[in-house]
Each structure stands twice: as C-alpha cells, then as structure tokens.
C-alpha cells in the first residue's frame, strides 16, 4: 500500500513533498522495497516464508534436557546455582517462619506500627484493616507466603538495583552501558522473564524469587542512578570547596540528596515485586497468586476474588506507605516522632509473645468469611441474566462475541493476510516517522526475528489483540484525559480511582473480566484496556495541563473558543506527552495481553503458559523470545525522537 | 626556591604581602586547550575567532593580580566575562590551563590532592550564588558541615557552629532546614558555613545576585561589618558595579576573560581605562565614590585655620554636606594637619566629571578645551597622586 501512495503523492505535489522530511523517509523506504521486492517475493507473499525460519525447538530441547540431567552433577549448578537456589529457599523459609511465629496479631501490629512511623495514623489504621481483611477472607497463610517471597525478593532487588544504580550514577561509561539495557527491561512483559529462569532453576520458589528480582531491580537501579546524577551541581561544588573527599561527598551529599529518588525506587521496586510475585505463581511461587491462578484455571471467580482482594489490599497499603515515606521525607521532620523503631519492634515481640501464650497465633478458623460462594452465585446469576439476551443492549458475552467477530478476527486475519515483507515495511515506516532510523532498524530486526523464530502467525494474533486494545485504550484514554485536563471536578473524581488502579498487579485484572465476559480473546483485551487506561489518562491530562499557560492565555486573549484552544494550542503543544501516552499504552497493553493467555487469550501468551505447564520449555522459550521481540518492536515503533536525543545529551 | 627545599614556611609574609598571587592565569575550555595559551598567535585571537579556529573558549585570559592581606578584592564583570571561572581556579575547583597561582607564596597548581584538600578545608572557603546548602540538614549541621568534613568531633563542631550562627544573626533558627528559610537567611547560612572553618580567605561567587534588592543591601552591610570586625581577606565576585564600589578596596574589572582595569573604586570611576569602563561607570553617582582628597585644592592663606573639617577619605557627598551647612569651603584634615581645602566649585567639578582632565593623560583638548580652561584655572596642582 505504501508503495502505491507515495509515487502518487510525488506526482501531484512534488516540490512540497520533497521538502517534507516525512515524505522523504517514506520515499526512500518505497524505493528500497521496489529494489528488494523481486528478491523478497521469491519467498512468497503470504506469511513469513518457511525458508527463512530457524527451528530452535530441537537445540532448545537438548539444552533444557542437558540442564535437567546435569542439575545435580555439573559443577556450575553444584557450586553456583545450587548455592543461590539454597540461599533463596532458606531465606524465604526463614522469613515465612518468622511471620508465622509472629502470628497474625504480631504481623498486624508490626505493619501498623511501621505505617504509623513513616506515614501517620490514618495509613496505620488502613494497614491494620487490610491485614485483618486478609485474615477474614481466609487468606492469612497464602498472604504470608506471598509476603515472605516478596520480602526476600525486594531486599535482593534493592541491593542489586542500588549497586547497579551507584555504579551508573558514579561512572559515565557504565551509565551509558546500563541505561539502554534497563530501559528495555522495563518495557518487556513480565511473562518474558519467567522462562529463562525456569530453564536454569526449574519450577519452584528459587525461580519465582529470581524472576521477581530480575523484574523488580531495574527501577531501583534507574532511579538510583538518576538521583545520583540529578544532584544540584552547586551543592556538590560547595561540598568540594570545603575539601570533602570523594567518599565524604558520596555519603554526606550525593546519597542524601538522592533520597527522594531512592525512596521512589523502593516504592516502584516493591510494587513491581508484588506484581511479579503474583504472576510467578505460574512457576511455583505459591501464595495468593497461586490461589488466583488455580481458581482462574477452573473459572472459579469467587475463589479468585477471595485471593485477589488481599493482593489489591496489599498493593494499596504497600504503595501508600512507601510513597508517604518518599514524599514525607522533608515534612516528616516537623512531625514529632510518633514512635521509635525499637519501640515498634518491642511492641511486636510483646504482642507475638502474648498471642503465643494465648495460643492465638493462627487465624481463628471461626473468624473467616467465605465469599467464594456468594460471589459465585452472583456470577452465576450474571451468567444467566446478563451474559446474553438482555433486551436492546445485548449481554456481556454478546459484546465479547461481537468484539471478537467484528474487530479481533478481521484485524488478525488482515495482519496474517498481509505479505510478510509489507508488515516489515509498515513497521519500518511507522518507527522511522515517529523516531529515528536507529529505532526503525531495531523495530524491523525485532519483527524479523519473530519470523525467524517461526512464530509469525501467533505473534500476529497477539499483535492484533494489542492493536485492538490500544485503539480502544487510546480513544477512551484521550477522551477521559482531555476531560480531566479541562475540568478540575472530573480530575478530582478520577484521581483516587486512577491511584488505586495504577497500583494493582496485572494479574488481578483478569478476575473481573472473566466474571463479566467469560474466557477468550475479548476478555484478555478488556483486561489490557482496563490495565493500560489509567496511565494513558494520567499522562494525557498531565501533558495538557502542563502546556505553557502563557501560550494558552495569548490564545484566549485573541478570542479562541475552548475547542480552538484545545485543537490549536493544547494538543499540538502536548504532542510529546501524547506520544508518551501511546508508548506507555502499548507497553502496558502488551503485558496484559500476554498474561491473557491464562484466560484463553491464546497466541504467544498461551504458548508460554503451555510451555511452562507441560514442561515443554522449547515452545515456551521461543514464545518468550517472541514476546521480547514484540515488546521491543512495539516500544521502538512508538518511541518519539525527543526521548532518544535527550538520552544522548 | 631550590635552596628552600625543606619546605617549611620560613618566611613570614609582611602584612602587605599578597595572600593570593595570580600571574598569567588562563582557563580555556575545549579540546586540546593547553595549546591556546602556549601559542602566542592563538592567544591573541578574539573569542569568536578562537572558537571557529580551535573549538575552544577562553574563559580567563592571561589574568594577573595580587590579593593583599586584609583587603576586599572585587572581581567585577558581566555574565560570561569569566569572573566565576576565575574564582574557581583559585582553589582549583576548576583546573586552570596555564599560569601560576600562589597562596602565601605556595604554588597552588603544584599541590597534590591531600594538600589541595588542606587548602580548601582551612585556608579558603567559598560562598555560592545559589547557596549550595544541603537540604536534608538543619541550619546548624549545614554550618558545621565544613568542620565535620575535617573530622572535628560532634560536640566541638556544634559549639563552634553555634557561635558562627549567632555571629551572622541567625540565632534561634539552628533547627530549621534550608527550605524553611528566606533567601537572605539561606545566604547567611552559606556565609556562616564558610566562616565556621575560620579560613584565611573568603571567596564570594556572586553571593547576593539571587536576593531581593533590600535583602541584598542588608547582606552587603553584613559583609562590610564582618570585614571591619575581623579584617579577613575577601575575594568578591559580582556583576553589580554598585556592590563592587561599595565593598571593594580594589576592583578588577573583567571583560571577555581579561582584566580591563584594576584599581580602587575611585580610580575606576574617576579614570576609566577605556571606553568600555567609561560606559560602565557612566551612571554611577560620583559623589558617593570620589573622595575629598581628590576634590581638594591647596589651602589659600588663612583658610587652613577655620571652617568645617572633613577627612581626606570622606566622600564628596559628605564634603558637599559639610560645605553646604557651613556656607564656606571645608578643610581636609588628616591627623590634625590641613592637607587642603574643598570648595563648592571643586566639588561640583568632581561630581560633573570635568576634573578628569586633571588626571587623564589622554589629550582631549579639542573637545574639552573651554571647560578645561575653567578647571585648570581653579586647580593649579594635581592633587591626586595615587590615581596616576
């Protein structure tokens, strides 16, 4: 298609088009295609040609078999991975036993005291209520399992991330080497990290912890480096002018000055660790995620919800408390110190001992509420009444069916019908128009790699779901974002909703969509839309609000209407934010569409889950690699030029 | 020098010996910057041409001066004139490209890291334009920071810091954080931090440019007060000529990295070295800067016995007031000796700037001929020996 339109355009408006850079790029691409087409066409014009694929199944299976055979004998495993694995298991076990020894009264009191210390009374009460709710829902033990895994994973992530960040913050060269790696790691779907870890460690707690560490450490590293680099140069100069040694400068100035970024890094690391600890149930993490996973597998929405609510509560509490620690860093000093750390610890021990004496360590079995059954009854009622046949509006299952038939299927079939080289061409054109030739090259190579891996068809299936979800997300997100930017009231209403939605782990979104739409591709898309929407709304609203007020004022003084202001001033000036919103939307949607494989989304996500579930690591690894490539491609295609140039500077 | 190898500071500098002695100092930014000062042809190039030819920017070009003990030495120039770079070169916060810097006769550029740290810790402390305070520390801990770096014990450094905090007028604010202070208060903390280490020289890098005019005046008075109380040597960077004239014992006026003129405020205002300086000082109220010494003429017979008395370093403005009140010429008295007399004609001449001809070696007869006649008539002898 591109080959047809471009010559046309040049014929009608030649001088002008030639002056435009965009058209120049397209023309060059068209030319390239025209030259290469006879050669490329040799391999056919349909899906990715078979001649160009490399079958990795066999070598991967061999490798995986070799690892399984040698896991107990090869020195590499005995003396390195073995120790790592043992250390992880031991520490998770230790934390878990400590939590159990403290009992529910001890843990609740300790959590509340910590929240009080760093974030004030209100959050302390919220924390206590959240923990008690976990007990009431009958989820105390799984909550503690998840918590134990998270504590270990977060500690390791923070140490690893802080060390990497320190290196990046102090050395220019290391920073330049690390940054693209960390940036890329941040856009990859969580699922992609599971398979390589499983390959080495097998399914179980060590793999889950390490996958979590790999997923959660990058934000800590990035923010540490950012904080160290962002220190006010005049303060550092003043410190140097007083004769500080390098070590003194680091300890007394650079690290304290980066406190805000460090705490933000801690916050993000904790949130990502929770998200991953839940997803890692697929590879044997146990705990809450496992309950959700099992329940979803048997479409038992009630049980899934009972395990999902504690996840959400945990997420909200952890986020609020750590965020308060970060933002309250300056304000905290005026507040009288509510309680010292030692007192908090002592109180915990006292409560735990008292509980032990009263033999009340385990959550009393009488004090649980079984919500699974009523929820399932409600879902059954919904299934019978709302799924289909509701007059005029139809039912939710009807919507899902229509969406699949009228949107997902055509997009998928269309993508799969396209000649393989034209997909590459479109990718190149988009990436080059929005970014630089470098991003375009990466995107094309990533897309081609998918073909070479032999998963062209399922990848395009996943891509079709991503495109549909992104389209819906952007329409809804931009509209809501514009509304929030233009009306303070809308923003006030939206803010708490967005806050909660942004803290929830991806996995949790699957529960309500399964309740509403059943299983299939449409629910996966719906979950992805819900997951990505808050970020898009927020970035859009922020971008519009940050438009230079002087520009808006001058437009108003010239008599522009509200609509004119929006279209002619705000939207063009917020272009960067809008592109960023698209980029974020795409990345987030992909993450959930992949997880959607658990609820019948099929395609790459299913391959990965299948590989894990059946021990067919070759299939899973290929799917994982394809997910990585897809993530890279989508990120690069939507990456605005400015981001790249800013990084270079 | 080779004889003094056991490097003990044997020679005790006399009071007029320079604290800082800067000679032929260059700072060039850019690739292979060392070649610029070394090559006389490159060194002579104007800034724009230097950049196109070599890609280098000369921030400081061949600057030489001495800072005497106990004086306030002001480096004044517009932004981009290289003055901030210059002051950073003194303690090698920016590494100079060429030239020599000596503090009390010791070569700063030859110092190793430990010695340099010693210099920064004990001998020269700096006050910064945007204060450079540590936001996470209280006022007291900020002031004590320099001592902490030196390894002074907690109790002692707090005690010493508390004294300095009181000295700069921040009593009762020890527990606050920089974010809770106004700009002027923050700069007092910056000043206190520098004073706390009891340095030999205080370096000020445009310390008051970020402050409101009224606060700025307060702070200038504070610095003047500290100087008169302690007599500490100060190097003061500013872009504000009024500030320079108010505080400086001597002023080095910089332009494009070079020192255009170096002299007392009176010399700068009274005898600008070139048109650039003249343009600069045009709007300065001369009566505030010029002294009675410059305006006086020899006493006629009988004048030295009566009439109001002014000191020779009194400003012309003060002399005008004395003359106006008495309705008669005033005597310029120094330690009971009458040096000369100022009358209204002489004073007006100084204010109008037409006395320049008396000291200005530039022949401007054609233009100023009629006025000069008048001046020479009333001023038969040049009375400003220092200005020449």
């Amino acid at each position: 298609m591109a080959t047809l339109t471009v010559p046309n355009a040049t014929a009608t408006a030649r001088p002008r088009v030639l002056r435009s850079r965009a058209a120049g790029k397209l023309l060059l691409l068209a030319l390239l295609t025209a030259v290469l087409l006879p050669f490329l066409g040799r391999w056919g014009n349909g899906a990715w040609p078979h001649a160009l694929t490399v079958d990795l199944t066999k070598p991967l299976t061999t490798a995986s078999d070799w690892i399984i055979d040698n896991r107990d004998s090869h020195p590499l495993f005995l003396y390195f991975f073995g120790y790592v694995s043992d250390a992880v298991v031991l520490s998770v076990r230790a934390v878990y036993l400590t939590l159990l020894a403290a009992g529910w009264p001890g843990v609740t009191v300790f959590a509340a005291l910590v929240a009080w210390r760093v974030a004030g009374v209100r959050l302390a009460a919220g924390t206590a209520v959240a923990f008690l709710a976990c007990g009431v829902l009958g989820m105390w033990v799984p909550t503690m399992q998840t918590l134990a895994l998270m504590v270990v994973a977060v500690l390791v992530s923070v140490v690893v991330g802080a060390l990497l960040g320190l290196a990046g913050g102090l050395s220019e060269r290391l920073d330049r080497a690390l940054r693209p790696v960390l940036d890329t790691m941040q856009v990859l779907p969580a699922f992609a990290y599971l398979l390589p870890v499983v390959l080495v460690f097998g399914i179980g707690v060590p793999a889950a912890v390490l996958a979590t560490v790999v997923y959660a450490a990058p934000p800590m590293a990035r923010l540490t480096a950012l904080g160290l680099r962002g220190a006010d140069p005049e303060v550092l100069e003043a410190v140097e002018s007083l004769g500080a040694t390098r070590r003194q400068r680091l300890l007394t100035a650079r690290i304290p000055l980066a406190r805000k970024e460090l705490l933000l890094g801690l916050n993000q690391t904790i949130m990502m660790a929770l998200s991953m600890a839940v997803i890692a149930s697929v590879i044997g993490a146990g705990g809450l995620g496992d309950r959700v996973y099992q329940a979803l597998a048997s479409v038992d929405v009630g049980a899934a919800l009972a395990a999902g609510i504690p996840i959400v509560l945990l997420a909200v509490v952890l986020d609020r408390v750590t965020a308060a620690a970060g933002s309250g860093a300056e304000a905290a000093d005026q507040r009288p110190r509510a309680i010292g750390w030692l007192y908090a610890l002592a109180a915990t021990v006292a409560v735990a001992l008292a509980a032990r004496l009263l033999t009340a360590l385990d959550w009393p079995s009488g004090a649980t509420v079984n919500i699974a059954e009523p929820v399932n009854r409600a879902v059954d009622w919904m299934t019978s009444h709302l799924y289909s046949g509701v007059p005029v509006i139809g039912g939710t299952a009807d919507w899902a069916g229509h969406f699949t038939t009228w949107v997902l299927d055509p997009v998928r079939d269309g993508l799969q019908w396209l000649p393989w080289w034209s997909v590459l061409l479109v990718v190149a054109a988009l990436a080059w128009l929005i970014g630089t030739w470098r991003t375009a090259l990466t995107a094309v190579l990533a897309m081609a790699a998918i073909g070479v891996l032999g998963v062209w068809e399922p990848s395009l299936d996943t891509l079709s779901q991503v495109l549909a979800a992104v389209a819906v997300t952007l329409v809804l997100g931009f509209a809501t974002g514009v509304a929030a930017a233009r009306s303070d009231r809308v923003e006030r209403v939206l803010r708490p909703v967005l806050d909660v939605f942004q803290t929830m782990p991806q996995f949790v979104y699957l529960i309500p969509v399964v309740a509403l739409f059943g299983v299939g591709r449409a629910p996966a898309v719906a979950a992805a839309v819900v997951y990505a929407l808050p970020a898009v709304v927020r970035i859009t609203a922020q971008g519009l609000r940050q438009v230079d007020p002087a520009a808006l004022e001058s437009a108003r003084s010239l008599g522009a209407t509200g609509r004119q202001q929006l279209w002619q001033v705000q939207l063009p000036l917020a272009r960067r934010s809008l592109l960023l919103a698209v980029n974020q939307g795409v990345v987030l949607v992909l993450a959930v569409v992949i997880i959607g494989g658990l609820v019948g989304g099929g395609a790459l996500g299913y391959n990965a889950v299948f590989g894990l579930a059946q021990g067919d690591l070759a299939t899973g690894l290929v799917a994982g690699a394809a997910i990585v490539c897809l993530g890279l491609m989508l990120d690069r295609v939507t990456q605005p030029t400015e981001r790249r140039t800013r990084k270079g500077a | 020098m080779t004889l003094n190898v056991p490097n003990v500071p044997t020679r005790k500098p006399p009071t007029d010996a320079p604290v800082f002695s800067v000679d032929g100092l260059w700072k060039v930014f850019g690739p292979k910057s060392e070649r610029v000062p070394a090559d006389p042809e490159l060194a002579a190039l104007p800034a724009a041409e230097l950049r196109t030819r070599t890609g280098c920017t000369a921030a400081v070009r061949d600057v030489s001066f001495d800072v005497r003990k106990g004086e306030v030495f002001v480096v004044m120039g517009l932004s981009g004139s290289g003055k901030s770079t210059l002051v950073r070169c003194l303690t090698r916060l920016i590494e100079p490209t060429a030239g020599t810097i000596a503090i009390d006769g010791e070569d700063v550029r030859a110092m190793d890291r430990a010695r340099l740290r010693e210099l920064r810790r004990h001998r020269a402390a700096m006050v910064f334009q945007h204060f450079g305070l540590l936001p996470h520390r209280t006022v007291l801990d900020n002031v004590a920071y320099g001592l902490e770096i030196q390894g002074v014990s907690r109790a002692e450094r707090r005690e010493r810091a508390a004294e300095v905090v009181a000295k700069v007028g921040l009593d009762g604010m020890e527990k606050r954080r920089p974010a809770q202070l106004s700009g002027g208060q923050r700069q007092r903390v910056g000043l206190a931090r520098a004073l706390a280490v009891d340095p030999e020289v205080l370096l000020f890098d445009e310390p008051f440019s970020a402050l409101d005019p009224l606060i700025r005046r307060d702070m200038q008075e504070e610095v003047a007060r500290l100087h008169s109380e302690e007599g500490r040597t100060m190097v003061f960077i500013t872009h504000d000529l009024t500030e320079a004239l108010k505080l400086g014992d001597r002023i080095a006026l910089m332009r494009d990295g070079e020192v255009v003129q170096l002299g007392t405020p009176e010399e700068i205002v009274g005898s600008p070295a070139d048109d650039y300086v003249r343009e600069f000082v045009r709007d300065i109220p001369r009566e505030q800067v010029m002294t009675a010494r410059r305006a006086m003429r020899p006493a006629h017979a009988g004048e030295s016995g009566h009439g109001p008395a002014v000191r020779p370093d009194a400003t012309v403005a003060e002399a005008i007031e004395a003359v106006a009140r008495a309705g008669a010429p005033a005597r310029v008295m120094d330690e009971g000796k009458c040096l000369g007399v100022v009358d209204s004609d002489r004073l007006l001449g100084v204010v109008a700037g037409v006395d320049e001809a008396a000291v200005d070696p530039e022949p401007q007869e054609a233009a100023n001929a009629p006025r000069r006649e008048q001046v020479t008539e009333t001023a038969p002898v040049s009375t400003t020996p220092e200005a020449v």
Side-chain angles (χ1 to χ4, degrees):
Chain A
M1 231 171 74
T3 42
L4 280 178
T5 46
V6 171
N8 247 345
T10 44
T12 50
R14 201 169 167 192
R16 217 173 133 189
V17 158
L18 281 183
R19 251 182 278 135
S20 141
R21 287 178 58 117
K25 289 175 180 178
L26 286 181
L27 197 67
L28 200 65
L29 275 179
L31 207 67
L32 202 67
T33 321
V35 173
L36 289 177
L37 199 54
F39 302 97
L40 300 176
R42 228 179 34 187
W43 288 302
N45 284 330
W48 186 269
H50 193 70
L52 291 184
T53 58
V54 178
D55 189 11
L56 287 176
T57 321
K58 209 147 171 221
L60 278 176
T61 315
T62 325
S64 134
D65 286 347
W66 181 86
I67 288 175
I68 292 167
D69 291 342
N70 290 286
R71 208 174 262 157
D72 297 327
S73 54
H74 195 275
L76 180 64
F77 289 94
L78 278 184
Y79 297 109
F80 181 66
F81 291 128
Y83 283 127
V84 173
S85 168
D86 289 348
V88 169
V89 171
L90 267 179
S91 32
V92 172
R93 190 98 198 125
V95 176
Y96 179 59
L97 289 177
T98 314
L99 289 174
L100 285 191
W104 65 267
V107 172
T108 309
V109 166
F110 184 69
L113 287 178
V114 169
W116 189 18
R117 178 74 171 69
V118 299
V121 176
R122 277 184 52 199
L123 273 175
T127 307
V129 169
F131 272 89
L132 294 178
C134 295
V136 169
L137 286 168
M139 286 291 155
W140 187 259
V141 172
T143 307
M144 290 306 109
Q145 285 169 344
T146 298
L147 212 53
L149 197 143
M150 263 190 65
V151 167
V152 174
V154 166
L155 284 179
V156 179
S157 302
V158 166
V159 170
V160 171
L163 286 179
L164 283 177
L166 205 60
L170 297 182
S171 148
E172 187 69 38
R173 201 187 298 167
L174 267 176
D175 188 53
R176 238 174 300 157
L178 271 177
R179 207 159 1 161
V181 178
L182 294 177
D183 281 347
T184 307
M185 283 179 83
Q186 205 131 24
V187 302
L188 296 183
F191 243 54
Y193 293 103
L194 299 178
L195 290 140
V197 191
V198 169
L199 181 66
V200 175
F201 290 96
I203 286 187
V205 170
V209 170
L210 288 173
T212 310
V213 168
V214 174
Y215 186 62
M220 189 73 204
R222 291 182 81 200
L223 283 161
T224 307
L226 193 73
L228 289 180
R229 299 201 155 260
D232 182 351
E234 200 178 36
V235 175
L236 294 186
E237 197 176 34
V239 169
E240 200 183 347
S241 82
L242 288 164
T245 58
R246 299 189 74 180
R247 197 187 140 92
Q248 284 174 328
R249 195 167 38 167
L250 180 67
L251 292 179
T252 61
R254 295 190 79 164
I255 290 181
L257 286 176
R259 180 181 167 155
K260 214 170 152 194
E261 282 82 3
L262 290 177
L263 285 170
L264 185 63
L266 179 67
N267 170 281
Q268 291 205 0
T269 293
I270 289 181
M271 297 321 291
M272 293 188 74
L274 177 62
S275 181
M276 191 65 174
V278 175
I279 293 174
S281 59
V282 181
I283 57 169
L288 293 170
D290 193 44
R291 300 294 177 100
V292 178
Y293 178 47
Q294 305 291 351
L296 282 178
S298 53
V299 201
D300 180 352
V301 175
L305 198 63
I309 290 173
I311 295 176
V312 173
L313 290 176
L314 218 52
V316 172
V317 162
L318 284 172
D319 179 55
R320 292 300 174 279
V321 172
T322 48
S327 65
E330 283 95 45
D333 301 295
Q334 281 106 269
R335 206 166 47 219
R337 309 240 146 173
I339 182 166
W341 289 113
L342 269 179
Y343 288 112
L345 208 62
T348 311
V349 172
V351 170
L353 283 177
R356 179 159 286 260
L357 291 176
L358 299 170
T359 60
L361 280 180
D362 297 327
W363 187 268
S365 53
T368 57
V369 176
N370 187 359
I371 66 159
E373 266 181 49
V375 168
N376 276 338
R377 264 205 302 282
V379 170
D380 285 344
W381 180 87
M382 253 172 46
T383 318
S384 51
H385 291 85
L386 295 180
Y387 256 35
S388 61
V390 179
V392 186
I393 55 167
T396 52
D398 292 343
W399 298 347
H402 289 318
F403 189 74
T404 311
T405 333
W406 296 110
V407 179
L408 287 178
D409 283 348
V411 173
R412 181 185 63 183
D413 295 345
L415 278 176
Q416 290 178 347
W417 167 85
L418 277 179
W420 58 277
W421 48 264
S422 69
V423 174
L424 292 185
L425 190 65
V426 170
V427 166
L430 275 177
W432 203 10
L433 286 183
I434 297 177
T436 60
W437 65 268
R438 227 181 275 229
T439 57
L441 193 65
T442 323
V444 169
L445 287 179
M447 199 63 211
I450 290 175
V452 171
L453 286 168
V455 281
W456 186 255
E457 301 261 332
S459 297
L460 287 185
D461 187 358
T462 301
L463 187 60
S464 73
Q465 295 177 35
V466 170
L467 291 181
V470 166
V472 176
T473 309
L474 291 184
V475 170
L476 293 178
F478 283 161
T480 323
V482 168
R486 292 168 69 84
S487 148
D488 285 330
R489 200 185 308 159
V490 174
E491 177 160 37
R492 259 203 309 281
V493 173
L494 269 179
R495 188 178 294 168
V497 180
L498 294 183
D499 279 347
V500 171
F501 272 57
Q502 274 197 313
T503 52
M504 286 205 283
Q506 305 154 1
F507 212 53
V508 175
Y509 287 89
L510 296 179
I511 303 169
V513 296
V514 168
L516 272 177
F517 305 116
V519 294
R521 277 181 291 152
V525 168
V529 170
V530 180
Y531 181 65
L533 204 49
V536 173
V537 170
R538 187 154 273 176
I539 297 172
T540 310
Q542 263 172 14
L544 288 178
R545 278 184 181 264
Q546 274 162 9
V547 164
D548 182 11
L552 259 186
E553 198 171 26
S554 69
R556 217 175 303 135
S557 77
L558 290 170
T561 63
R563 174 183 279 278
Q564 283 171 325
Q565 283 171 42
L566 178 67
W567 284 103
Q568 292 166 5
V569 183
Q570 284 182 299
L571 287 179
L573 287 182
R575 179 173 169 271
R576 244 183 75 71
S577 299
L578 297 183
L579 280 173
L580 182 66
V582 174
N583 180 267
Q584 283 292 297
V586 167
V587 167
L588 297 175
V589 158
L590 176 68
V592 175
V593 162
I594 297 290
I595 295 175
L598 292 171
V599 293
L604 288 180
Y606 174 75
N607 282 1
V609 178
F610 174 83
L612 285 169
Q614 303 294 318
D616 181 1
L617 286 182
T619 310
L621 277 172
V622 168
I627 293 170
V628 169
C629 292
L630 205 57
L632 258 181
M633 186 276 279
L634 285 170
D635 177 58
R636 294 300 186 268
V637 162
T638 52
Q639 200 160 63
T641 323
E642 288 92 332
R643 197 169 138 197
R644 286 275 130 184
T645 48
R646 190 162 49 85
K647 266 180 202 158
Chain B
M1 273 314 268
T2 42
L3 290 177
N4 286 346
V5 170
N7 204 355
V8 189
T10 43
R11 96 195 158 109
K12 195 159 170 121
T15 42
D16 60 339
V19 177
F20 267 118
S21 181
V22 174
D23 190 26
L25 188 73
W26 280 82
K27 175 63 202 179
V28 184
F29 293 103
K32 284 193 252 161
S33 50
E34 354 33 87
R35 72 202 144 127
V36 177
D39 182 347
E41 192 210 348
L42 287 178
L45 287 178
E49 212 171 310
L50 183 68
R51 189 165 320 120
T52 49
R53 284 250 319 248
T54 64
C56 290
T57 316
V60 176
R61 294 169 158 260
D62 196 15
V63 167
S64 305
F65 60 82
D66 286 346
V67 179
R68 297 178 198 141
K69 198 168 181 62
E71 75 171 339
V72 179
F73 186 85
V74 174
V75 180
M76 137 92 213
L78 298 183
S79 58
S81 61
K83 54 193 191 306
S84 289
T85 310
L86 176 62
V87 75
R88 280 165 173 74
C89 285
L90 293 182
T91 57
R92 281 171 56 195
L93 286 175
I94 291 179
E95 203 63 51
T97 312
T100 58
I101 305 168
I103 180 165
D104 293 334
E106 187 182 352
D107 187 354
V108 174
R109 292 195 67 200
M111 288 179 174
D112 60 6
R113 264 163 69 169
R115 191 84 191 112
L116 188 61
R117 220 154 40 219
E118 227 29 44
L119 162 72
R120 292 176 183 166
R121 284 182 178 183
H122 298 288
R123 294 162 79 179
M126 194 152 161
V127 180
F128 291 86
Q129 181 176 8
H130 299 290
F131 327 129
L133 302 178
L134 293 164
H136 59 285
R137 289 172 168 242
T138 60
V139 166
L140 194 66
D141 284 338
N142 260 298
V143 174
Y145 184 72
L147 299 168
E148 184 183 334
I149 293 282
Q150 296 173 14
V152 176
S153 76
R154 190 182 172 85
E156 190 189 340
R157 68 175 188 247
R158 291 213 152 179
E159 189 187 326
R160 275 164 65 183
E163 280 170 30
V164 187
V165 166
K167 193 188 275 176
V168 299
L170 286 175
D171 316 73
M173 304 200 179
E174 290 88 347
K175 293 270 173 279
R176 299 210 189 163
R177 311 240 158 192
Q180 297 165 287
L181 301 178
S182 69
Q185 289 168 335
R186 282 184 215 182
Q187 195 53 294
R188 280 172 200 265
V189 178
L191 181 58
R193 178 176 63 186
L195 282 174
V197 297
D198 193 22
E200 200 181 331
V201 193
L202 273 178
L203 309 175
F204 292 88
D205 178 28
E206 298 202 38
F208 309 140
S209 344
L211 305 179
D212 292 338
L214 285 181
I215 314 267
R216 192 183 308 160
R217 207 175 58 196
D218 278 357
M219 292 300 294
Q220 286 163 358
E221 275 154 19
E222 185 81 30
V223 167
R225 182 178 68 81
L226 278 170
H227 183 249
S228 66
E229 281 173 11
E230 301 187 329
R232 211 183 290 272
T233 314
M234 296 178 176
V235 177
F236 198 102
I237 308 296
T238 181
H239 67 247
D240 177 355
L241 185 59
T242 326
E243 187 168 87
L245 295 172
K246 192 169 184 174
L247 295 172
D249 292 322
R250 287 191 307 148
I251 299 171
L253 216 145
M254 284 185 77
R255 180 195 189 187
D256 294 338
E258 285 168 304
V259 172
V260 192
Q261 187 173 6
L262 196 162
T264 63
E266 196 176 0
E267 284 163 5
I268 300 257
V269 175
S271 338
D274 62 9
D275 286 344
Y276 179 74
V277 183
R278 190 170 293 118
E279 191 61 23
F280 231 113
V281 300
R282 206 178 58 184
D283 297 330
I284 290 301
R286 298 166 60 88
E287 71 279 7
Q288 306 282 357
V289 179
M290 313 302 273
T291 59
R293 188 194 292 277
R294 183 168 175 123
M296 74 188 178
R297 60 171 166 79
H300 298 313
E303 276 182 334
S304 58
H306 56 89
V310 294
R311 283 170 293 110
D313 56 348
T315 61
V316 167
E318 288 166 334
I320 288 175
E321 194 188 339
V323 171
R325 281 185 193 284
R331 292 172 299 154
V332 180
M333 302 289 284
D334 189 22
E335 292 170 350
K337 224 180 100 203
C338 179
L339 300 179
V341 164
V342 285
D343 58 20
S344 45
D345 282 348
R346 296 285 316 193
L347 290 169
L348 276 177
V350 171
V351 172
V354 291
D355 67 320
E356 253 177 53
V359 283
D360 198 349
E362 297 289 335
Q364 295 179 329
E365 280 112 282
N368 291 342
R371 278 200 262 158
R372 251 192 96 196
E373 266 173 30
Q374 202 184 345
V375 170
T376 37
E377 202 176 295
T378 46
V381 188
S382 170
T383 52
T384 55
E386 312 99 309
V388 181

